[in-house]
PDB file of all heavy atoms in Angstrom:
ATOM      1  N   LEU A  82      80.928 116.890  76.856  1.00  0.00           N
ATOM      2  CA  LEU A  82      79.900 116.555  77.845  1.00  0.00           C
ATOM      3  C   LEU A  82      78.842 117.648  77.927  1.00  0.00           C
ATOM      4  O   LEU A  82      77.667 117.377  78.193  1.00  0.00           O
ATOM      5  CB  LEU A  82      80.539 116.334  79.215  1.00  0.00           C
ATOM      6  CG  LEU A  82      81.643 115.255  79.277  1.00  0.00           C
ATOM      7  CD1 LEU A  82      82.176 115.126  80.700  1.00  0.00           C
ATOM      8  CD2 LEU A  82      81.122 113.907  78.789  1.00  0.00           C
ATOM      9  N   CYS A  83      79.264 118.901  77.702  1.00  0.00           N
ATOM     10  CA  CYS A  83      78.342 120.036  77.816  1.00  0.00           C
ATOM     11  C   CYS A  83      77.398 120.158  76.609  1.00  0.00           C
ATOM     12  O   CYS A  83      76.546 121.045  76.587  1.00  0.00           O
ATOM     13  CB  CYS A  83      79.124 121.336  78.006  1.00  0.00           C
ATOM     14  SG  CYS A  83      79.901 121.461  79.644  1.00  0.00           S
ATOM     15  N   ARG A  84      77.522 119.274  75.645  1.00  0.00           N
ATOM     16  CA  ARG A  84      76.526 119.265  74.560  1.00  0.00           C
ATOM     17  C   ARG A  84      75.167 118.854  75.097  1.00  0.00           C
ATOM     18  O   ARG A  84      74.140 119.155  74.495  1.00  0.00           O
ATOM     19  CB  ARG A  84      76.974 118.321  73.443  1.00  0.00           C
ATOM     20  CG  ARG A  84      78.177 118.825  72.663  1.00  0.00           C
ATOM     21  CD  ARG A  84      78.353 118.061  71.363  1.00  0.00           C
ATOM     22  NE  ARG A  84      77.194 118.210  70.499  1.00  0.00           N
ATOM     23  CZ  ARG A  84      76.753 117.258  69.678  1.00  0.00           C
ATOM     24  NH1 ARG A  84      77.350 116.095  69.630  1.00  0.00           N
ATOM     25  NH2 ARG A  84      75.694 117.464  68.925  1.00  0.00           N
ATOM     26  N   PHE A  85      75.158 118.141  76.213  1.00  0.00           N
ATOM     27  CA  PHE A  85      73.885 117.809  76.865  1.00  0.00           C
ATOM     28  C   PHE A  85      73.828 118.334  78.285  1.00  0.00           C
ATOM     29  O   PHE A  85      72.846 118.940  78.693  1.00  0.00           O
ATOM     30  CB  PHE A  85      73.663 116.293  76.861  1.00  0.00           C
ATOM     31  CG  PHE A  85      72.473 115.855  77.696  1.00  0.00           C
ATOM     32  CD1 PHE A  85      71.207 116.356  77.440  1.00  0.00           C
ATOM     33  CD2 PHE A  85      72.629 114.959  78.744  1.00  0.00           C
ATOM     34  CE1 PHE A  85      70.101 115.968  78.203  1.00  0.00           C
ATOM     35  CE2 PHE A  85      71.541 114.562  79.511  1.00  0.00           C
ATOM     36  CZ  PHE A  85      70.273 115.070  79.246  1.00  0.00           C
ATOM     37  N   HIS A  86      74.879 118.117  79.039  1.00  0.00           N
ATOM     38  CA  HIS A  86      74.853 118.448  80.466  1.00  0.00           C
ATOM     39  C   HIS A  86      75.132 119.932  80.708  1.00  0.00           C
ATOM     40  O   HIS A  86      75.816 120.587  79.921  1.00  0.00           O
ATOM     41  CB  HIS A  86      75.870 117.591  81.218  1.00  0.00           C
ATOM     42  CG  HIS A  86      75.511 116.143  81.243  1.00  0.00           C
ATOM     43  ND1 HIS A  86      74.499 115.642  82.028  1.00  0.00           N
ATOM     44  CD2 HIS A  86      76.000 115.082  80.555  1.00  0.00           C
ATOM     45  CE1 HIS A  86      74.385 114.333  81.833  1.00  0.00           C
ATOM     46  NE2 HIS A  86      75.281 113.973  80.938  1.00  0.00           N
ATOM     47  N   ALA A  87      74.598 120.430  81.826  1.00  0.00           N
ATOM     48  CA  ALA A  87      74.796 121.830  82.208  1.00  0.00           C
ATOM     49  C   ALA A  87      76.260 122.082  82.549  1.00  0.00           C
ATOM     50  O   ALA A  87      76.924 121.230  83.160  1.00  0.00           O
ATOM     51  CB  ALA A  87      73.915 122.170  83.408  1.00  0.00           C
ATOM     52  N   ASP A  88      76.748 123.249  82.172  1.00  0.00           N
ATOM     53  CA  ASP A  88      78.159 123.593  82.402  1.00  0.00           C
ATOM     54  C   ASP A  88      78.553 123.476  83.867  1.00  0.00           C
ATOM     55  O   ASP A  88      79.622 122.946  84.190  1.00  0.00           O
ATOM     56  CB  ASP A  88      78.434 125.034  81.932  1.00  0.00           C
ATOM     57  CG  ASP A  88      78.308 125.206  80.431  1.00  0.00           C
ATOM     58  OD1 ASP A  88      77.846 124.249  79.768  1.00  0.00           O
ATOM     59  OD2 ASP A  88      78.659 126.278  79.921  1.00  0.00           O
ATOM     60  N   ASP A  89      77.687 123.968  84.762  1.00  0.00           N
ATOM     61  CA  ASP A  89      78.070 123.969  86.184  1.00  0.00           C
ATOM     62  C   ASP A  89      78.090 122.547  86.752  1.00  0.00           C
ATOM     63  O   ASP A  89      78.883 122.236  87.637  1.00  0.00           O
ATOM     64  CB  ASP A  89      77.169 124.887  87.022  1.00  0.00           C
ATOM     65  CG  ASP A  89      75.682 124.600  86.851  1.00  0.00           C
ATOM     66  OD1 ASP A  89      75.317 123.778  85.998  1.00  0.00           O
ATOM     67  OD2 ASP A  89      74.875 125.216  87.587  1.00  0.00           O
ATOM     68  N   TYR A  90      77.240 121.672  86.219  1.00  0.00           N
ATOM     69  CA  TYR A  90      77.244 120.272  86.654  1.00  0.00           C
ATOM     70  C   TYR A  90      78.530 119.572  86.208  1.00  0.00           C
ATOM     71  O   TYR A  90      79.187 118.867  86.992  1.00  0.00           O
ATOM     72  CB  TYR A  90      76.014 119.556  86.102  1.00  0.00           C
ATOM     73  CG  TYR A  90      75.985 118.072  86.378  1.00  0.00           C
ATOM     74  CD1 TYR A  90      76.115 117.575  87.672  1.00  0.00           C
ATOM     75  CD2 TYR A  90      75.846 117.154  85.337  1.00  0.00           C
ATOM     76  CE1 TYR A  90      76.091 116.198  87.919  1.00  0.00           C
ATOM     77  CE2 TYR A  90      75.812 115.787  85.572  1.00  0.00           C
ATOM     78  CZ  TYR A  90      75.944 115.322  86.869  1.00  0.00           C
ATOM     79  OH  TYR A  90      75.930 113.968  87.111  1.00  0.00           O
ATOM     80  N   VAL A  91      78.920 119.793  84.964  1.00  0.00           N
ATOM     81  CA  VAL A  91      80.162 119.185  84.460  1.00  0.00           C
ATOM     82  C   VAL A  91      81.360 119.721  85.223  1.00  0.00           C
ATOM     83  O   VAL A  91      82.288 118.980  85.573  1.00  0.00           O
ATOM     84  CB  VAL A  91      80.301 119.430  82.940  1.00  0.00           C
ATOM     85  CG1 VAL A  91      81.655 118.949  82.432  1.00  0.00           C
ATOM     86  CG2 VAL A  91      79.172 118.723  82.183  1.00  0.00           C
ATOM     87  N   SER A  92      81.343 121.020  85.492  1.00  0.00           N
ATOM     88  CA  SER A  92      82.422 121.644  86.281  1.00  0.00           C
ATOM     89  C   SER A  92      82.546 121.006  87.658  1.00  0.00           C
ATOM     90  O   SER A  92      83.643 120.739  88.154  1.00  0.00           O
ATOM     91  CB  SER A  92      82.095 123.118  86.480  1.00  0.00           C
ATOM     92  OG  SER A  92      83.063 123.900  85.967  1.00  0.00           O
ATOM     93  N   PHE A  93      81.397 120.756  88.264  1.00  0.00           N
ATOM     94  CA  PHE A  93      81.366 120.117  89.581  1.00  0.00           C
ATOM     95  C   PHE A  93      81.958 118.712  89.512  1.00  0.00           C
ATOM     96  O   PHE A  93      82.782 118.325  90.347  1.00  0.00           O
ATOM     97  CB  PHE A  93      79.915 120.066  90.075  1.00  0.00           C
ATOM     98  CG  PHE A  93      79.693 119.142  91.238  1.00  0.00           C
ATOM     99  CD1 PHE A  93      80.025 119.528  92.523  1.00  0.00           C
ATOM    100  CD2 PHE A  93      79.153 117.877  91.037  1.00  0.00           C
ATOM    101  CE1 PHE A  93      79.830 118.675  93.601  1.00  0.00           C
ATOM    102  CE2 PHE A  93      78.945 117.012  92.106  1.00  0.00           C
ATOM    103  CZ  PHE A  93      79.291 117.417  93.387  1.00  0.00           C
TER     104      PHE A  93
END
Side-chain angles (χ1 to χ4, degrees):
L82 303 181
C83 289
R84 290 195 61 213
F85 171 57
H86 293 286
D88 293 9
D89 53 353
Y90 174 54
V91 173
S92 239
F93 165 79

